[in-house]
């Protein structure tokens, strides 16, 4: 009989049903993830993007996917920015293309009075993201102290959803203009799925990693050029991303 996760930390996650997130992010980590938390993290500072599967316990990751689908999916809003027709219609010279950020995904910011935030509080997600171990994990990958205030968001990529080439540069925000840090927790269901994160190295979009893998954690030292390919999965499958956006304490 499947167990129930959320009342007693340390339960085996295999085959369990998650009713509520644990109070501490550390309770979701695999042995590899706990090594990162303990300060034995790979050097994520040498490149703008780091990703590693298996840092979150595989059973926990599957249970979280099911919990997010049942509790939060209905409270997300579409985030859709299509290619403007004028990018072709107004072009007057060869090779004059200018593509603004395009995206198709469902999303919710966990701030203000949004219904999604209230639900996130009810299922323990808000509390877990504010836990000491979540911050410590982010700082272990960032390699430096992060500011106490940070943004929280959830994304749900369904089949065909994507995010087009962009930099996530915010020069009008004084605290983000010189760079900031994103920590993404990725959750996929049991069905086969695939989504690539493509990012720039040496001025070319030539590096990629499949982020639709079990227990995936990715870290971004923004800004830099990157995009995600369309999510590939069964008709009702999805990839969830729970993310924290941090300013550096030094700024």
């Amino acid at each position: 009989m499947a167990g129930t996760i959320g009342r007693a930390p340390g339960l085996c996650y295999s085959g369990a049903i998650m009713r509520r997130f644990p109070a501490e992010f550390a309770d979701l980590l695999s042995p590899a993830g706990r090594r990162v938390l303990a300060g034995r993290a790979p050097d994520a500072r040498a490149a703008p993007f780091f990703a590693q599967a298996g840092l979150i316990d595989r059973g926990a990751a599957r249970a979280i996917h099911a919990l997010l689908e049942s509790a939060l999916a209905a409270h997300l809003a579409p985030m859709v920015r299509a290619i403007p027709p004028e990018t072709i219609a107004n072009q007057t010279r060869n090779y004059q293309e200018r593509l603004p950020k395009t995206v198709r995904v469902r999303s919710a910011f966990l701030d203000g009075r949004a219904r999604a935030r209230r639900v996130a509080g009810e299922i323990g997600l808000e509390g877990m993201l504010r836990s000491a171990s979540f911050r410590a994990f982010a700082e272990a990958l960032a390699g430096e102290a992060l500011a106490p205030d940070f943004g929280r968001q959830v994304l749900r990529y369904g089949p065909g959803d994507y995010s087009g080439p962009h930099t996530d540069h915010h020069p009008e925000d004084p605290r983000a203009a010189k760079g900031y840090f994103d920590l993404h927790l990725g959750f996929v269901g049991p069905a086969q799925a695939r989504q690539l994160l493509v990012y720039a190295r040496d001025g070319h979009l030539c590096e990629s990693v499949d982020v639709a893998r079990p227990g995936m954690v990715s870290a971004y030292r923004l800004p830099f050029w990157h995009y995600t390919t369309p999510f590939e999965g069964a008709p009702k499958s999805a990839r969830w991303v729970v993310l924290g956006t941090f300013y550096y304490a030094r700024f």
Side-chain angles (χ1 to χ4, degrees):
M1 182 176 178
T4 299
I5 299 174
R7 294 185 178 178
L11 288 177
C12 176
Y13 289 113
S14 179
I17 298 171
M18 180 176 281
R19 306 293 188 192
R20 184 177 176 83
F21 282 83
E24 282 291 339
F25 174 64
D27 292 333
L28 298 178
L29 295 175
S30 67
R34 289 193 290 273
R35 287 194 291 272
V36 172
L37 183 60
R40 300 192 297 275
D43 188 358
R45 291 170 290 178
F49 177 72
F50 163 84
Q52 185 172 330
L55 296 185
I56 297 173
D57 176 89
R58 181 183 291 261
R62 291 279 174 84
I64 288 169
H65 182 274
L67 175 59
L68 292 172
E69 283 283 280
S70 63
L72 262 181
H75 305 290
L76 305 185
M79 181 188 296
V80 180
R81 299 191 193 100
I83 298 172
E86 57 268 25
T87 57
I88 295 177
N90 292 353
Q91 186 172 330
T92 59
R93 300 193 308 272
N94 296 343
Y95 310 114
Q96 193 187 20
E97 292 90 349
R98 294 292 184 271
L99 180 65
K101 181 179 178 179
T102 60
V103 64
R104 189 178 68 193
V105 70
R106 296 183 66 83
S107 173
F109 290 95
L110 304 182
D111 54 17
R113 294 186 173 182
R115 173 61 181 163
R117 182 182 182 181
R118 293 198 295 274
V119 174
E122 291 166 3
I123 63 175
L125 174 58
E126 175 80 0
M128 189 203 72
L129 291 176
R130 293 189 178 278
S131 68
S133 55
F134 182 73
R135 170 172 295 280
F137 192 89
E139 291 184 332
L141 287 176
E144 61 180 280
L146 300 171
D149 56 319
F150 69 102
R152 299 165 308 286
Q153 185 181 4
V154 291
L155 303 169
R156 184 186 185 275
Y157 289 92
D161 288 351
Y162 74 102
S163 182
H166 62 286
T167 65
D168 282 322
H169 185 31
H170 297 289
E172 295 177 296
D173 183 342
R175 299 185 68 186
K178 295 181 180 180
Y180 60 100
F181 184 80
D182 260 16
L183 177 62
H184 290 201
L185 314 177
F187 304 104
V188 292
Q192 187 74 21
R194 182 173 182 264
Q195 187 169 35
L196 300 182
L197 188 290
V198 182
Y199 62 101
R201 185 185 294 276
D202 299 327
H204 295 277
L205 288 163
C206 59
E207 299 288 335
S208 67
V209 61
D210 185 0
V211 289
R213 297 168 60 195
M216 174 64 71
V217 173
S218 51
Y220 299 68
R221 300 183 68 84
L222 296 160
F224 62 93
W225 279 102
H226 60 286
Y227 68 91
T228 58
T229 60
F231 177 73
E232 302 172 44
K236 294 185 178 180
S237 62
R239 180 174 80 94
W240 282 82
V241 179
V242 175
L243 65 95
T245 297
F246 296 85
Y247 295 121
Y248 293 113
R250 55 189 159 98
F251 297 145

